[in-house]
Amino acid sequence: MAEHPPADVSQTPDGPDGPHAPSAVPARELLRQCARDVVAVAEGVRAVSARTTAVLLNEEFRASARRRPRTGMPAQWATLRVLMSKQGLGSALTAERGAGRLLGQGGEILGRESLAALIAVTSLRLRINAVLLDHPELVRDAGMRRVVDAVTADRDLASLRALRALFKSRGAQQALSVLAPITAELLAIRALLDEDPMNDETGWALATGRELSADPLKGIRASHLCELDRGEGAADPVELTAQELPRLSARGSFLGFLRNIDLLSTDGRILIQDVRGPDGTVRHVVHAPGMAPGRPRNDSPQDFVGAWRNLFMADSPYTRSILQAIDHYGIPGGADVALIGHSEGGIAVMNLAQSEEFSRTYRVTHVVAVGSPVDHKKPADPRTWAATITNQHDIVPILDGRAAGSAFDPHPDWYEVDYIGPTHEFPLSHMLGTYIHDLETVIADAALHVDEALAPYRGEVLRTQSYQLKDRANPPLGYPFLTVPTAPVATSAGPVDTPVRYYDSTAAHAFFPVDAEAARSLLPDVTWMTPARLGRRALAVLSVYEHRCTTIGPYSEIGLSVIVNDLWRPHPYDLALDLTRAMDLRRTGRYVVGLAVSTEEARAVAADIWGQQASVSPLDVDLLGRNISVGAAGPGIRLAGELGPAIRCPDADWVLYGRRGDRTLRIQVRNHGRPRVHPAPRVRLRVGTHAHPLAEQLHRLGLDSARPRSVLTCHDFMARRSAGAELPR
């Protein structure tokens, strides 16, 4: 049973033509029915093309042409024209092997799209129009219309520009949210119309919906997934905290189970409960949360790599860990079990449900997946009641190839809720808290229906046990570089463990020669701190970071520093000699004179631990391409341009200085990555006229419209910053 959003077109009572009169059917359903009919035509044309290809490549047909060239050669040529001419069936030959496959690939590369593919694209356009009836806000969005028009017209450059403009104007999160309802259709159109014939099978799978239950890996080898995720899986019982225990649901209910999952967050834990049903029978409920954000975590299967393997393979560390938890918990064989999961957890419990061995051991009565891509999976026990709930603005559920409001239903026996929630921004639309709110307000009828289906599990909770899931075969995240002793330090934002660890970061350091006196004016008013000189000039460094995964949360930062001499015995060549010294023994360092960060927690850590006065400002940082683009709205700073050729260099460790009262703080920053030096960057710094400390400091150094002498970049590195050690100066 499928739930659909309310129709935008009013329905009229049955007329003379009966209940199937066109006026009685919502417009969106008419479009989806037309899409199904058009796809059927496309598949028929493709079958004709395949049979014609078989005739062309038949050995007897070719031998006959050789024996009777006056009649056989024209027949062969006519058959080839039927396939390869502009008015012909097109290059559906790519499904064949050998010469036929090469011929079909050549046709696609020359721009001879298959007639069947063009018909399938028409079906996809009908599906897009059906979705747009449910999402009128997409029609009003000029950027979205530009993307759809460019993709459906097969204009590659225009498509790229439209997507880039959409992401630039809306931001990555909002752009993904806008694209989510029609992402599968757009991907299918690109796969069918592009010049790469290897994409055709994927395009057909998305366009026809006939292959959702087949192997979804297509071009992805299972061995590659095994290389990505080799964890054997493990589960250790852990106790819930004193703050979590009172928030657990005391009685079994659908929303109560979801709130339990939301309580667990995504820190690698699952929950198993015993519930006494209305009939007095004790049943068991497995709660499985979704994927943790950030980089893949080697200490937990609940990460991106685990989700990817869960999606395409029935066996994964997450699934094996849940099995170990169930075995330790002691659920008796033959007992009734309900499996409920969100996101990756929904995929994992569906993997359990489709396991014949698991279904023989336990009676899987119910499986519910919320915000999960599970359409190509199927429970092994036909008696299992299955339900899926997806928000059409949640991009995660479409990863299985089935789009929002799809015209095809691979599981007509499931209870499916495919709704339009009020939250359109991703990843907020994917969060379980958002789903719970929508189930309470927007789709309350669906929540009631699922709760009624789970009636045998509505009763007193007798026992609860949580388990910490682990990838026992994998080392902890950041091992061995970031596995160091830590100590908590109090800040205005709460305690923070030091050293602060950065698991996934990108950085660019732009070096500017500046006037020595101007640089000296930015340093503390003490006689023993002087700028290091290269000739007659001092050296200022504008550092830009994008920290995607850290122990103080993801954030970005822009910092201005001046390289200073040894605080006690300055020597003219210390700056050059320090390049040969270990970081612990360096005499020079960078005094941070200005800093802007994107989060309040990062500001508190900079001020309280490192003695660096920072301001909070929204930052736009893009450092991953050949060009860099950095913007800070508060200071009015823009650093952009082409980096140019690069030379590999050793890891760049730093000594930073800050100031707390009358004491100087020395901070050691150790980095581990693959840095590169760009000796001739075509990058320019623009500084606005904003009344901001960082902008004023850049102006005092004369860096407005300046070009850096060189730029040091590192696209993917780990780092650890120690707490500031107080110096008696």
Side-chain angles (χ1 to χ4, degrees):
M1 175 180 178
E3 292 271 333
H4 298 287
D8 294 332
V9 181
S10 60
Q11 300 183 13
T12 59
D14 295 346
D17 297 329
H20 299 292
S23 60
V25 182
R28 65 173 64 84
E29 294 306 321
L30 285 175
L31 287 171
R32 291 189 176 108
Q33 181 58 53
C34 289
R36 287 191 286 267
D37 295 341
V38 172
V39 150
V41 174
E43 290 182 313
V45 172
R46 197 183 193 208
V48 172
S49 178
R51 291 195 294 271
T52 307
T53 302
V55 171
L56 179 66
L57 301 178
N58 182 270
E59 183 60 35
E60 292 184 6
F61 181 61
R62 288 186 291 175
S64 175
R66 289 193 297 270
R67 288 193 302 269
R68 300 176 179 85
R70 294 184 59 185
T71 57
M73 293 301 293
Q76 271 193 326
W77 182 246
T79 307
L80 182 62
R81 284 203 314 272
V82 167
L83 291 168
M84 300 304 297
S85 70
K86 292 183 178 180
Q87 294 78 27
L89 294 174
S91 56
L93 305 171
T94 54
E96 300 295 329
R97 297 291 180 184
R101 185 179 184 87
L102 294 176
L103 186 61
Q105 292 176 353
E108 289 206 7
I109 293 173
L110 293 174
R112 304 288 177 85
E113 285 89 357
S114 162
L115 176 61
L118 294 176
I119 296 174
V121 168
T122 301
S123 171
L124 291 164
R125 287 170 176 162
L126 289 170
R127 284 166 52 177
I128 289 176
N129 287 329
V131 174
L132 293 180
L133 289 179
D134 291 333
H135 299 271
E137 74 279 0
L138 302 184
V139 181
R140 295 190 294 267
D141 191 293
M144 191 66 195
R145 291 200 305 271
R146 182 182 173 192
V147 171
V148 173
D149 292 343
V151 171
T152 56
D154 192 22
R155 301 197 305 269
D156 293 343
L157 186 58
S159 302
L160 180 61
R161 288 173 174 170
L163 281 171
R164 184 174 181 178
L166 183 66
F167 274 75
K168 186 175 181 180
S169 62
R170 304 292 294 268
Q173 292 185 357
Q174 289 190 10
L176 287 173
S177 306
V178 171
L179 289 168
I182 57 174
T183 297
E185 282 81 6
L186 294 178
L187 292 176
I189 291 173
R190 287 301 308 131
L192 290 171
L193 294 182
D194 67 11
E195 285 73 24
D196 184 1
M198 303 304 293
N199 293 335
D200 284 0
E201 289 303 314
T202 301
W204 273 99
L206 294 171
T208 64
R210 313 300 190 197
E211 302 180 20
L212 288 174
S213 60
D215 180 14
L217 291 174
K218 302 299 179 186
I220 304 175
R221 296 180 181 272
S223 60
H224 293 171
L225 292 174
C226 293
E227 291 173 3
L228 287 173
D229 194 356
R230 299 175 179 176
E232 62 191 40
D236 295 330
V238 293
E239 298 300 324
L240 297 170
T241 67
Q243 292 77 22
E244 292 171 335
L245 284 172
R247 297 168 56 192
L248 281 176
S249 178
R251 295 186 62 82
S253 68
F254 175 50
L255 289 179
F257 298 144
L258 291 186
R259 291 191 186 97
N260 290 344
I261 296 175
D262 194 36
L263 177 66
L264 293 174
S265 183
T266 55
D267 60 0
R269 292 179 297 169
I270 67 166
L271 195 72
I272 303 178
Q273 287 186 327
D274 288 353
V275 180
R276 188 184 303 278
D279 58 356
T281 302
V282 177
R283 297 178 175 87
H284 314 275
V285 183
V286 177
H287 308 63
M291 180 185 76
R295 282 184 59 166
R297 298 174 52 194
N298 289 333
D299 61 339
S300 171
Q302 204 170 309
D303 58 8
F304 173 78
V305 174
W308 191 250
R309 178 162 178 167
N310 261 324
L311 178 61
F312 292 133
M313 305 180 72
D315 182 48
S316 71
Y318 197 170
T319 307
R320 292 194 294 272
S321 299
I322 295 178
L323 284 171
Q324 292 190 28
I326 292 174
D327 182 65
H328 181 275
Y329 187 84
I331 296 179
D336 289 353
V337 177
L339 307 173
I340 301 176
H342 167 245
S343 185
E344 183 190 358
I347 306 173
V349 297
M350 194 64 74
N351 284 339
L352 286 178
Q354 73 175 6
S355 167
E356 294 185 1
E357 181 180 357
F358 187 82
S359 296
R360 285 195 299 267
T361 306
Y362 309 103
R363 183 172 179 266
V364 182
T365 60
H366 299 75
V367 57
V368 182
V370 179
S372 305
V374 294
D375 283 316
H376 62 272
K377 300 181 183 293
K378 184 178 181 180
D381 189 342
R383 298 171 298 174
T384 300
W385 187 88
T388 63
I389 300 172
T390 55
N391 180 352
Q392 291 191 14
H393 282 280
D394 181 0
I395 201 170
V396 173
I398 70 171
L399 296 178
D400 56 14
R402 186 180 176 207
S406 173
F408 304 102
D409 187 0
H411 300 292
D413 55 331
W414 287 14
Y415 180 74
E416 296 185 346
V417 182
D418 186 31
Y419 73 101
I420 303 173
T423 303
H424 294 177
E425 184 176 349
F426 182 85
L428 190 60
S429 58
H430 180 63
M431 295 178 63
L432 183 55
T434 301
Y435 274 102
I436 293 173
H437 177 268
D438 292 346
L439 285 164
E440 292 174 334
T441 56
V442 181
I443 48 173
D445 291 344
L448 181 61
H449 186 93
V450 177
D451 202 45
E452 290 176 351
L454 288 170
Y457 295 85
R458 295 206 317 242
E460 179 186 3
V461 175
L462 303 178
R463 178 190 172 197
T464 299
Q465 180 63 58
S466 63
Y467 288 87
Q468 184 73 48
L469 307 187
K470 298 180 180 179
D471 274 341
R472 184 167 289 166
N474 292 325
L477 182 61
Y479 177 84
F481 180 72
L482 295 180
T483 51
V484 294
T486 61
V489 176
T491 71
S492 58
V496 172
D497 286 338
T498 57
V500 177
R501 282 143 291 152
Y502 297 83
Y503 296 93
D504 182 16
S505 297
T506 299
H509 306 276
F511 297 86
F512 296 89
V514 296
D515 181 76
E517 291 303 320
R520 178 67 184 86
S521 68
L522 299 181
L523 299 176
D525 188 17
V526 291
T527 59
W528 39 261
M529 185 176 287
T530 57
R533 298 192 182 211
L534 287 175
R536 296 184 178 182
R537 308 280 281 177
L539 200 60
V541 184
L542 187 66
S543 301
V544 183
Y545 297 90
E546 182 184 12
H547 302 301
R548 291 176 289 272
C549 182
T550 81
T551 53
I552 58 174
Y555 73 99
S556 300
E557 65 173 297
I558 297 179
L560 176 64
S561 58
V562 175
I563 298 182
V564 297
N565 286 320
D566 183 5
L567 304 185
W568 276 270
R569 298 180 181 85
H571 296 283
Y573 303 108
D574 271 347
L575 181 57
L577 291 175
D578 264 355
L579 297 177
T580 63
R581 294 180 179 136
M583 191 263 295
D584 312 70
L585 303 177
R586 287 183 184 173
R587 301 173 181 272
T588 61
R590 291 165 43 204
Y591 186 89
V592 179
V593 298
L595 184 63
V597 295
S598 60
T599 66
E600 176 60 29
E601 185 171 14
R603 186 210 62 78
V605 170
D608 299 341
I609 297 181
W610 299 320
Q612 301 164 356
Q613 298 307 311
S615 61
V616 179
S617 173
L619 304 178
D620 179 17
V621 178
D622 182 6
L623 304 174
L624 293 178
R626 295 182 178 179
N627 295 355
I628 64 172
S629 176
V630 179
I637 297 173
R638 190 75 185 172
L639 180 69
E642 186 178 348
L643 291 169
I647 304 171
R648 284 290 306 277
C649 66
D651 282 320
D653 295 332
W654 307 102
V655 172
L656 301 180
Y657 289 119
R659 190 78 171 161
R660 181 191 297 148
D662 59 350
R663 297 294 180 109
T664 300
L665 301 182
R666 185 176 188 268
I667 304 104
Q668 296 184 15
V669 183
R670 294 187 179 274
N671 299 293
H672 178 63
R674 302 179 67 186
R676 300 186 299 173
V677 173
H678 303 265
R682 292 180 286 275
V683 176
R684 189 177 293 276
L685 173 65
R686 305 285 185 181
V687 185
T689 58
H690 298 61
H692 190 279
L694 187 54
E696 294 175 358
Q697 291 160 349
L698 291 169
H699 277 296
R700 290 172 64 180
L701 293 175
L703 294 183
D704 185 20
S705 300
R707 293 182 180 272
R709 181 66 58 85
S710 62
V711 175
L712 176 70
T713 63
C714 193
H715 283 182
D716 184 10
F717 73 97
M718 296 182 292
R720 58 179 191 260
R721 294 189 191 181
S722 68
E726 288 193 354
L727 303 178
R729 298 221 68 164

